[in-house]
Amino acid sequence: MLKIVKFGGSSVANATQFSKVKGIVESDPSRRFVVVSASGRQHKDDNKITDLLYLCHAHIKYNISCDNIFKMVESRFLEIKNELNLSYDIQKDLDYLRLQLDKNVDLDYLVSRGEYLTALLMAEYLGYEFVDAKDLIFFNYDGSIDYPKMEKALDAITTKHPRLVIPGFYGSLPNGTLKIMSRGGGDVTGSLIANIINASVYENWTDVSGILMADPRIVKNPKQIEVINYSELRELSYMGASVLHEEAIFPVKDKNIPIHILNTNDPTCNGTIIKEDVSDDTSNHSITGIAGKKDFSIITIKKKHMSNEVGLIRKALDVFDRYRVSIEHIPSGIDSFSIIVESASIKDFLYEMISEIKKECTPDEVTVIDEIALIATVSRKMKNRAGMSGKLFTTLGKHGISVAVISQTSDEMNIIVGVHNDDYSKTIKAIYDEFEG
Ligand code: ASP
């Protein structure tokens, strides 16, 4: 049994959190590979080290002193070191970094120091070997992962050192330059290592006790999702539920490795298990979760006898393609079809696009409706079960919510409804109460 354990920023925010991490790691000998984020917020008004480092870079760019911000970074690391009585000379690294700030420091290098320094302290504290992510996570120039190179490197390291601490969020390009991932990328590091090492499970330790069935700002005390499959999670996170970095799913999914979301502040809580085969799930929830996003636009193209005209939808889509606009959904009728996109993605050239659509498609009418919220009700149990969508739409009707658009793929895992932005919270609450309340 081999576990990859990844601790997010709040789990390593100070000495107290470090000691919780130690307790968790030491309570299970199979927790041999530890990935850490940069020290995060200690409380809601605190700063993440990563944010402070980005801020330092922005100051340097505009020739404004970043001394005060850098001091905050410095004191956070020194505090952890001193409180835990560690011997690693982190002051030396911080002094060196301070010097780099005056020498046009590279953004990726600077920002990656958050996880680098956090991991150095954690390695000493746990008595594990520190491995720099630049020697383990390898990118190709196009941003894809060089798996064979990673495999070779990890093999060489693990034969010498069975217990490792690895900084998340960055790696290196073929020429050795550091490259950071997108925000929250520490999740991806953990997932990549879990893939290469063929881990039995990838534990992702955060400050929440798993994934909730709905946004707690909208639904009071929503239930926690106990088990979810990768596809359901993709649907929910794409629609706004945020727990894990979206890209973190693929490396573990490829090898059928479960992800276990757990809470560093409440380690005995069951958390949420994400895995491919969920057939052993005995819970009786009929839906897995609800998530949504606001601010979409529906562009509807009407043309008489459209159903007999070959290529009309393609001509309209070509226009979106030319403007590099990503399309969310394309519901269609007999003599009309709609294209749903994020409003922000078209706001700068909407009129130009519409006039091109008119030229290419010669429609009878083109209409645009803004302020649409899309809400996804996700459940693997919907397939072949009659009545679920009936129940959903009856509920919306009962609450006086008008549905502007409906979309469901044939895998029947997700019903998406488009409602006015103003009905966003009301819709989520109504669906939750109907199925889970
Ligand atoms: N420290 C980085 C961030 O704040 C990456 C991570 O935490 O995973 O986005």
Side-chain angles (χ1 to χ4, degrees), residues 6 9 37-38 48 50-51 115 169 182-187:
K6 186 257 165 181
S37 282
K48 294 181 179 183
T50 308
D51 291 336
E115 346 288 289
F169 185 47
S182 54
R183 294 300 303 262
D187 289 343

Side-chain angles (χ1 to χ4, degrees), residues 111-144:
V111 173
S112 70
R113 296 307 83 185
E115 346 288 289
Y116 175 83
L117 295 171
T118 307
L120 274 164
L121 293 179
M122 185 59 83
E124 183 189 342
Y125 186 50
L126 295 179
Y128 278 29
E129 185 70 16
F130 168 82
V131 182
D132 192 342
K134 81 170 170 39
D135 302 322
L136 201 54
I137 305 289
F138 298 113
F139 296 104
N140 296 307
Y141 284 116
D142 63 2
S144 60

Side-chain angles (χ1 to χ4, degrees), residues 373-412:
L374 295 180
I375 289 145
T377 305
V378 174
S379 171
R380 58 184 173 269
K381 295 182 184 159
M382 263 190 255
K383 199 167 173 71
N384 302 328
R385 189 190 283 191
M388 287 197 42
S389 49
K391 199 165 158 182
L392 191 144
F393 290 111
T394 308
T395 302
L396 299 186
K398 264 196 311 216
H399 284 82
I401 298 166
S402 161
V403 178
V405 65
I406 301 166
S407 169
Q408 186 186 31
T409 50
S410 47
D411 64 5
E412 290 183 60

Side-chain angles (χ1 to χ4, degrees), residues 163-417:
R163 296 177 181 278
L164 308 176
V165 174
I166 304 145
F169 185 47
Y170 71 94
S172 58
L173 290 166
N175 64 3
T177 313
L178 288 195
K179 178 180 157 60
I180 51 171
M181 302 173 184
S182 54
R183 294 300 303 262
D187 289 343
V188 183
T189 306
S191 182
L192 289 170
I193 294 172
N195 171 304
I196 306 264
I197 210 88
N198 287 315
S200 344
V201 60
Y202 169 28
E203 289 183 348
N204 192 289
W205 292 83
T206 64
D207 53 7
V208 290
S209 294
I211 309 174
L212 297 172
M213 291 183 81
D215 185 340
R217 288 166 301 186
I218 298 172
V219 172
K220 207 165 154 229
N221 296 327
K223 291 179 194 156
Q224 194 186 298
I225 302 173
E226 291 150 37
V227 183
I228 180 171
N229 69 30
Y230 298 115
S231 317
E232 289 175 303
L233 182 72
R234 267 293 285 166
E235 303 274 354
L236 283 177
S237 35
Y238 183 72
M239 288 305 285
S242 66
V243 169
L244 203 67
H245 190 295
E246 266 179 44
E247 298 298 318
I249 297 169
F250 301 109
V252 279
K253 182 173 189 241
D254 285 350
K255 292 237 173 129
N256 219 349
I257 299 166
I259 307 176
H260 198 171
I261 309 281
L262 290 152
N263 188 349
T264 303
N265 304 318
D266 187 6
T268 54
C269 188
N270 289 339
T272 299
I273 295 179
I274 307 159
K275 56 182 186 170
E276 190 60 40
D277 180 7
V278 290
S279 52
D280 56 351
D281 172 31
T282 50
S283 69
N284 53 5
H285 301 287
S286 48
I287 62 167
T288 303
I290 310 162
K293 287 200 266 193
K294 284 184 179 176
D295 295 324
F296 289 89
S297 297
I298 308 176
I299 297 139
T300 301
I301 295 153
K302 286 193 189 141
K303 187 167 186 180
K304 276 192 283 301
H305 311 301
M306 179 195 110
S307 46
N308 301 327
E309 191 176 330
V310 175
L312 189 75
I313 296 182
R314 179 188 50 75
K315 285 182 203 160
L317 294 186
D318 276 349
V319 177
F320 285 80
D321 199 17
R322 280 204 289 281
Y323 284 87
R324 314 296 309 147
V325 176
S326 159
I327 293 165
E328 301 287 326
H329 300 281
I330 315 177
S332 65
I334 308 290
D335 283 336
S336 74
F337 62 99
S338 300
I339 296 176
I340 305 178
V341 296
E342 276 182 19
S343 305
S345 70
I346 51 169
K347 74 174 188 341
D348 294 335
F349 38 74
L350 175 63
Y351 294 106
E352 289 89 330
M353 265 184 53
I354 302 286
S355 84
E356 284 187 38
I357 291 171
K358 284 185 175 161
K359 205 166 92 206
E360 306 265 338
C361 304
T362 57
D364 298 325
E365 194 186 359
V366 181
T367 55
V368 181
I369 305 174
D370 292 323
E371 291 190 62
I372 292 293
L374 295 180
I375 289 145
T377 305
V378 174
S379 171
R380 58 184 173 269
K381 295 182 184 159
M382 263 190 255
K383 199 167 173 71
N384 302 328
R385 189 190 283 191
M388 287 197 42
S389 49
K391 199 165 158 182
L392 191 144
F393 290 111
T394 308
T395 302
L396 299 186
K398 264 196 311 216
H399 284 82
I401 298 166
S402 161
V403 178
V405 65
I406 301 166
S407 169
Q408 186 186 31
T409 50
S410 47
D411 64 5
E412 290 183 60
M413 213 176 50
N414 194 359
I415 300 175
I416 294 179
V417 291

Side-chain angles (χ1 to χ4, degrees), residues 30-161:
S30 56
R31 293 182 175 135
R32 292 206 279 116
F33 293 77
V34 178
V35 175
V36 289
S37 282
S39 184
R41 284 196 190 95
Q42 306 173 73
H43 46 83
K44 82 176 190 339
D45 300 320
D46 193 23
N47 298 301
K48 294 181 179 183
I49 292 289
T50 308
D51 291 336
L52 295 174
L53 293 170
Y54 269 111
L55 211 54
C56 280
H57 196 265
H59 277 63
I60 299 166
K61 196 168 146 204
Y62 293 104
N63 261 328
I64 302 170
S65 163
C66 66
D67 277 347
N68 287 340
I69 303 164
F70 192 73
K71 276 196 190 110
M72 289 161 84
V73 174
E74 205 166 36
S75 63
R76 176 81 70 87
F77 284 121
L78 290 173
E79 225 171 86
I80 296 175
K81 173 194 151 127
N82 294 335
E83 278 186 41
L84 298 175
N85 279 323
L86 302 176
S87 60
Y88 181 74
D89 189 358
I90 200 159
Q91 186 65 62
K92 201 168 110 223
D93 286 5
L94 290 162
D95 292 345
Y96 176 77
L97 188 56
R98 179 68 197 85
L99 286 176
Q100 301 309 304
L101 297 182
D102 298 329
K103 294 187 188 162
N104 229 346
V105 65
D106 173 63
L107 173 73
D108 288 39
Y109 171 79
L110 172 60
V111 173
S112 70
R113 296 307 83 185
E115 346 288 289
Y116 175 83
L117 295 171
T118 307
L120 274 164
L121 293 179
M122 185 59 83
E124 183 189 342
Y125 186 50
L126 295 179
Y128 278 29
E129 185 70 16
F130 168 82
V131 182
D132 192 342
K134 81 170 170 39
D135 302 322
L136 201 54
I137 305 289
F138 298 113
F139 296 104
N140 296 307
Y141 284 116
D142 63 2
S144 60
I145 297 293
D146 187 342
Y147 279 95
K149 194 169 167 187
M150 275 190 59
E151 224 164 284
K152 235 168 112 189
L154 199 58
D155 239 24
I157 293 165
T158 48
T159 46
K160 277 195 253 145
H161 308 287

